Amino acid sequence: MGIFQIVGEEEIKSGQSTDIYFIRTEDILTIEDKNPAVTVEITASSLCNDWGVFCGLSDALNLLEGLDIDVYAIPEGSVFYPGEPVMRISGNYRDFARYETALLGMICHASGIASSAALIKICAGDVPVYSFGSRRQHPAIAGMIERSAWIGGVEGVSNTSAPAGIPLAGTMPHAYVMCFDKPADAWNAFMRHAPPEVSRTMLCDTYCDEKREALSAARAGAASVRLDTPRSRKGDMRSIIEEVRWELDVNGFTDVGIFLSGGLTAEDVLEYRDIVDSFGVGGAIANAPVVDFSLDIIEIEGLPVSKRGKKSGVKEIYEFEDGEHLLLPAGAVPPEGAKPMLKNFIRKGQILSLPDMNKSRARLLAYLEKSA
């Protein structure tokens, strides 16, 4: 490790970042000359919601590239349900055993973020949502957080380490406003000097009552006003937003929008979407609960097996046009009108294709639209 307590790419890629029991397992199996041909599946027995969004496949494939294995997975951005295998790996067990820790970490975290972002997008309806939460996690994974949020459907992200092609969005911090003698000076400077493509969204709750600062910002030319601390006043957030909207409207600023941020949850987004024009969501996306995936052997030397609580044998997920899923044993007669979801992504260690994050995002949005 360097000056920061983070694991480097080479250590991850070589399988050195793993749980110690995998090293001991590998050593003992080597001594005993055991390296059975196995097939494993990755599933989640339960989810925070009724469904999840599969994400993190790109990292997973890059991790597993070069190992003598075959990998099947559902496409990134696909919706999955409890018990459905999102990934299947076939090979000799010792050849990939130590990679389980990193593999699960990659898809558990990324899928949790994408799933939460998707839920919040559903709650928001047509109101734009932006990912503002990368500061709630270690900067080493900022790119993964923003990529996962993007696949989950947000309209933009705040962190400059986001993968190229994801729109960057942000307003201004309270500290910026406080560097000026008064908020109006900060807003006027922003109007003059911010790049022309940047929305003139002014933070309007630094010192004074929100509606007073919002009116002042509107007079300075704001396209929208951002409210970030209404919850800290222990007041009725909806009443505060309604007051701001009323005063803007009666003073002729009906075209000035309201951008809401500050500790928002999915429930908040659902509650305020009728009176808010944009949401900035932080921890509810970046700190989302991980998807509790597990990796289990379901076939040894071609014979179906399973540990307690799991279903043996290779399986296939079939998806119907309306988005419904059906899980069947591999080799069963496919149901009419449904397509198999698991695709071959690695053959004998060679990556056949890598996910495109924009196509992954489009896949999810299309599914959510037809399932609405």
Side-chain angles (χ1 to χ4, degrees), residues 187-257:
W187 301 327
N188 288 327
F190 195 84
M191 290 292 295
R192 290 193 302 269
H193 303 302
E197 68 274 11
V198 173
S199 174
R200 267 44 182 176
T201 300
M202 307 304 180
L203 183 59
C204 293
D205 55 12
T206 303
Y207 292 121
C208 302
D209 178 78
E210 287 86 1
K211 62 185 178 183
R212 178 179 171 184
E213 288 202 1
L215 281 174
S216 181
R219 294 185 181 110
S224 60
V225 295
R226 175 178 162 215
L227 309 180
D228 188 61
T229 57
R231 191 184 299 276
S232 68
R233 284 172 41 182
K234 296 182 171 62
D236 184 334
M237 187 186 294
R238 187 174 188 90
S239 293
I240 294 170
I241 300 168
E242 288 176 343
E243 285 180 15
V244 170
R245 182 72 273 160
W246 179 276
E247 295 302 330
L248 287 171
D249 290 349
V250 299
N251 283 276
F253 298 109
T254 56
D255 59 338
V256 173

Side-chain angles (χ1 to χ4, degrees), residues 292-358:
D292 192 13
F293 286 123
S294 64
L295 183 153
D296 299 286
I297 293 177
I298 49 85
E299 190 177 84
I300 297 179
E301 300 295 349
L303 299 176
V305 297
S306 69
K307 71 178 186 182
R308 292 175 61 194
K310 298 291 181 176
K311 296 176 180 178
S312 66
V314 176
K315 304 162 197 72
E316 180 60 79
I317 312 166
Y318 290 94
E319 183 173 84
F320 293 87
E321 280 296 320
D322 62 0
E324 290 292 318
H325 287 189
L326 179 64
L327 183 65
L328 291 175
V333 177
E336 186 176 349
K339 295 180 180 179
M341 292 186 67
L342 289 150
K343 312 294 182 185
N344 192 190
F345 282 93
I346 291 181
R347 183 180 300 137
K348 295 299 181 183
Q350 300 298 311
I351 295 178
L352 303 180
S353 64
L354 282 170
D356 178 298
M357 67 178 183
N358 293 318

